[in-house]
PDB file of all heavy atoms in Angstrom:
ATOM      1  N   GLU F  62     -57.639 -32.131  92.634  1.00  0.00           N
ATOM      2  CA  GLU F  62     -56.241 -32.659  92.602  1.00  0.00           C
ATOM      3  C   GLU F  62     -55.183 -31.590  92.851  1.00  0.00           C
ATOM      4  O   GLU F  62     -54.229 -31.808  93.579  1.00  0.00           O
ATOM      5  CB  GLU F  62     -55.983 -33.404  91.313  1.00  0.00           C
ATOM      6  CG  GLU F  62     -56.687 -34.740  91.153  1.00  0.00           C
ATOM      7  CD  GLU F  62     -58.146 -34.618  90.677  1.00  0.00           C
ATOM      8  OE1 GLU F  62     -58.629 -33.519  90.442  1.00  0.00           O
ATOM      9  OE2 GLU F  62     -58.755 -35.678  90.452  1.00  0.00           O
TER      10      GLU F  62
ATOM     11  N   HIS U  75     -68.601 -37.702  82.152  1.00  0.00           N
ATOM     12  CA  HIS U  75     -68.415 -39.146  82.084  1.00  0.00           C
ATOM     13  C   HIS U  75     -69.723 -39.888  82.144  1.00  0.00           C
ATOM     14  O   HIS U  75     -69.772 -41.152  81.974  1.00  0.00           O
ATOM     15  CB  HIS U  75     -67.508 -39.625  83.209  1.00  0.00           C
ATOM     16  CG  HIS U  75     -68.103 -39.248  84.556  1.00  0.00           C
ATOM     17  ND1 HIS U  75     -68.120 -37.968  85.060  1.00  0.00           N
ATOM     18  CD2 HIS U  75     -68.717 -39.994  85.490  1.00  0.00           C
ATOM     19  CE1 HIS U  75     -68.695 -37.909  86.228  1.00  0.00           C
ATOM     20  NE2 HIS U  75     -69.082 -39.151  86.526  1.00  0.00           N
ATOM     21  N   ARG U  76     -70.821 -39.190  82.528  1.00  0.00           N
ATOM     22  CA  ARG U  76     -72.144 -39.879  82.674  1.00  0.00           C
ATOM     23  C   ARG U  76     -73.057 -39.128  81.691  1.00  0.00           C
ATOM     24  O   ARG U  76     -73.972 -38.389  82.076  1.00  0.00           O
ATOM     25  CB  ARG U  76     -72.606 -39.713  84.136  1.00  0.00           C
ATOM     26  CG  ARG U  76     -73.749 -40.633  84.500  1.00  0.00           C
ATOM     27  CD  ARG U  76     -74.207 -40.432  85.991  1.00  0.00           C
ATOM     28  NE  ARG U  76     -73.120 -40.563  86.965  1.00  0.00           N
ATOM     29  CZ  ARG U  76     -72.611 -41.715  87.352  1.00  0.00           C
ATOM     30  NH1 ARG U  76     -73.074 -42.865  86.879  1.00  0.00           N
ATOM     31  NH2 ARG U  76     -71.611 -41.699  88.219  1.00  0.00           N
ATOM     32  N   ALA U 123     -64.265 -36.991  79.630  1.00  0.00           N
ATOM     33  CA  ALA U 123     -64.204 -37.860  80.854  1.00  0.00           C
ATOM     34  C   ALA U 123     -63.403 -37.344  81.994  1.00  0.00           C
ATOM     35  O   ALA U 123     -63.416 -37.876  83.075  1.00  0.00           O
ATOM     36  CB  ALA U 123     -63.662 -39.214  80.456  1.00  0.00           C
ATOM     37  N   ILE U 125     -62.898 -34.760  84.940  1.00  0.00           N
ATOM     38  CA  ILE U 125     -63.925 -34.022  85.706  1.00  0.00           C
ATOM     39  C   ILE U 125     -63.811 -32.520  85.458  1.00  0.00           C
ATOM     40  O   ILE U 125     -62.752 -31.899  85.503  1.00  0.00           O
ATOM     41  CB  ILE U 125     -63.716 -34.313  87.216  1.00  0.00           C
ATOM     42  CG1 ILE U 125     -64.096 -35.761  87.536  1.00  0.00           C
ATOM     43  CG2 ILE U 125     -64.540 -33.384  88.100  1.00  0.00           C
ATOM     44  CD1 ILE U 125     -65.563 -36.114  87.197  1.00  0.00           C
ATOM     45  N   GLU U 154     -72.094 -32.815  90.979  1.00  0.00           N
ATOM     46  CA  GLU U 154     -71.775 -31.965  92.161  1.00  0.00           C
ATOM     47  C   GLU U 154     -70.357 -32.142  92.580  1.00  0.00           C
ATOM     48  O   GLU U 154     -69.785 -31.197  93.145  1.00  0.00           O
ATOM     49  CB  GLU U 154     -72.796 -32.238  93.264  1.00  0.00           C
ATOM     50  CG  GLU U 154     -72.391 -33.286  94.319  1.00  0.00           C
ATOM     51  CD  GLU U 154     -72.208 -34.684  93.698  1.00  0.00           C
ATOM     52  OE1 GLU U 154     -72.920 -34.968  92.664  1.00  0.00           O
ATOM     53  OE2 GLU U 154     -71.470 -35.485  94.315  1.00  0.00           O
ATOM     54  N   GLY U 155     -69.770 -33.289  92.324  1.00  0.00           N
ATOM     55  CA  GLY U 155     -68.381 -33.473  92.677  1.00  0.00           C
ATOM     56  C   GLY U 155     -67.451 -32.583  91.872  1.00  0.00           C
ATOM     57  O   GLY U 155     -66.401 -32.136  92.380  1.00  0.00           O
ATOM     58  N   ALA U 156     -67.813 -32.297  90.663  1.00  0.00           N
ATOM     59  CA  ALA U 156     -66.991 -31.483  89.723  1.00  0.00           C
ATOM     60  C   ALA U 156     -66.961 -30.022  90.151  1.00  0.00           C
ATOM     61  O   ALA U 156     -66.102 -29.276  89.658  1.00  0.00           O
ATOM     62  CB  ALA U 156     -67.538 -31.675  88.322  1.00  0.00           C
ATOM     63  N   ASN U 183     -76.241 -35.560  92.575  1.00  0.00           N
ATOM     64  CA  ASN U 183     -76.773 -36.872  92.919  1.00  0.00           C
ATOM     65  C   ASN U 183     -76.233 -37.389  94.278  1.00  0.00           C
ATOM     66  O   ASN U 183     -76.294 -38.550  94.594  1.00  0.00           O
ATOM     67  CB  ASN U 183     -76.457 -37.904  91.770  1.00  0.00           C
ATOM     68  CG  ASN U 183     -74.960 -38.051  91.566  1.00  0.00           C
ATOM     69  OD1 ASN U 183     -74.162 -37.613  92.429  1.00  0.00           O
ATOM     70  ND2 ASN U 183     -74.615 -38.688  90.485  1.00  0.00           N
ATOM     71  N   TRP U 185     -73.443 -37.955  95.413  1.00  0.00           N
ATOM     72  CA  TRP U 185     -72.218 -38.738  95.479  1.00  0.00           C
ATOM     73  C   TRP U 185     -71.222 -38.389  94.353  1.00  0.00           C
ATOM     74  O   TRP U 185     -71.626 -38.155  93.209  1.00  0.00           O
ATOM     75  CB  TRP U 185     -72.518 -40.255  95.368  1.00  0.00           C
ATOM     76  CG  TRP U 185     -73.418 -40.746  96.476  1.00  0.00           C
ATOM     77  CD1 TRP U 185     -74.761 -40.963  96.427  1.00  0.00           C
ATOM     78  CD2 TRP U 185     -72.989 -41.038  97.810  1.00  0.00           C
ATOM     79  NE1 TRP U 185     -75.213 -41.347  97.631  1.00  0.00           N
ATOM     80  CE2 TRP U 185     -74.181 -41.443  98.491  1.00  0.00           C
ATOM     81  CE3 TRP U 185     -71.769 -41.012  98.486  1.00  0.00           C
ATOM     82  CZ2 TRP U 185     -74.092 -41.792  99.857  1.00  0.00           C
ATOM     83  CZ3 TRP U 185     -71.752 -41.379  99.826  1.00  0.00           C
ATOM     84  CH2 TRP U 185     -72.912 -41.763 100.457  1.00  0.00           C
TER      85      TRP U 185
HETATM   86  C1  TPP C   2     -59.852 -34.771  87.153  1.00  0.00           C
HETATM   87  C2  TPP C   2     -60.445 -36.077  87.429  1.00  0.00           C
HETATM   88  N1  TPP C   2     -60.324 -36.637  88.662  1.00  0.00           N
HETATM   89  C3  TPP C   2     -60.906 -37.799  88.986  1.00  0.00           C
HETATM   90  C4  TPP C   2     -61.624 -38.489  88.009  1.00  0.00           C
HETATM   91  C5  TPP C   2     -62.236 -39.819  88.366  1.00  0.00           C
HETATM   92  N2  TPP C   2     -63.711 -39.677  88.500  1.00  0.00           N
HETATM   93  C6  TPP C   2     -64.498 -39.999  87.496  1.00  0.00           C
HETATM   94  S1  TPP C   2     -66.145 -39.736  87.860  1.00  0.00           S
HETATM   95  C7  TPP C   2     -65.732 -39.249  89.404  1.00  0.00           C
HETATM   96  C8  TPP C   2     -66.805 -38.788  90.321  1.00  0.00           C
HETATM   97  C9  TPP C   2     -67.573 -37.628  89.810  1.00  0.00           C
HETATM   98  O1  TPP C   2     -68.554 -37.211  90.668  1.00  0.00           O
HETATM   99  P1  TPP C   2     -69.640 -36.187  90.165  1.00  0.00           P
HETATM  100  O2  TPP C   2     -68.988 -35.031  89.508  1.00  0.00           O
HETATM  101  O3  TPP C   2     -70.519 -35.935  91.308  1.00  0.00           O
HETATM  102  O4  TPP C   2     -70.413 -36.969  89.020  1.00  0.00           O
HETATM  103  P2  TPP C   2     -71.262 -38.327  89.144  1.00  0.00           P
HETATM  104  O5  TPP C   2     -70.344 -39.441  88.915  1.00  0.00           O
HETATM  105  O6  TPP C   2     -71.886 -38.338  90.494  1.00  0.00           O
HETATM  106  O7  TPP C   2     -72.303 -38.231  88.078  1.00  0.00           O
HETATM  107  C10 TPP C   2     -64.345 -39.300  89.616  1.00  0.00           C
HETATM  108  C11 TPP C   2     -63.697 -38.883  90.863  1.00  0.00           C
HETATM  109  C12 TPP C   2     -61.696 -37.931  86.717  1.00  0.00           C
HETATM  110  N3  TPP C   2     -62.348 -38.494  85.754  1.00  0.00           N
HETATM  111  N4  TPP C   2     -61.127 -36.761  86.453  1.00  0.00           N
END
Side-chain angles (χ1 to χ4, degrees):
Chain F
E62 288 84 357
Chain U
H75 60 286
R76 197 180 302 284
I125 291 300
E154 91 296 334
N183 61 13
W185 299 100

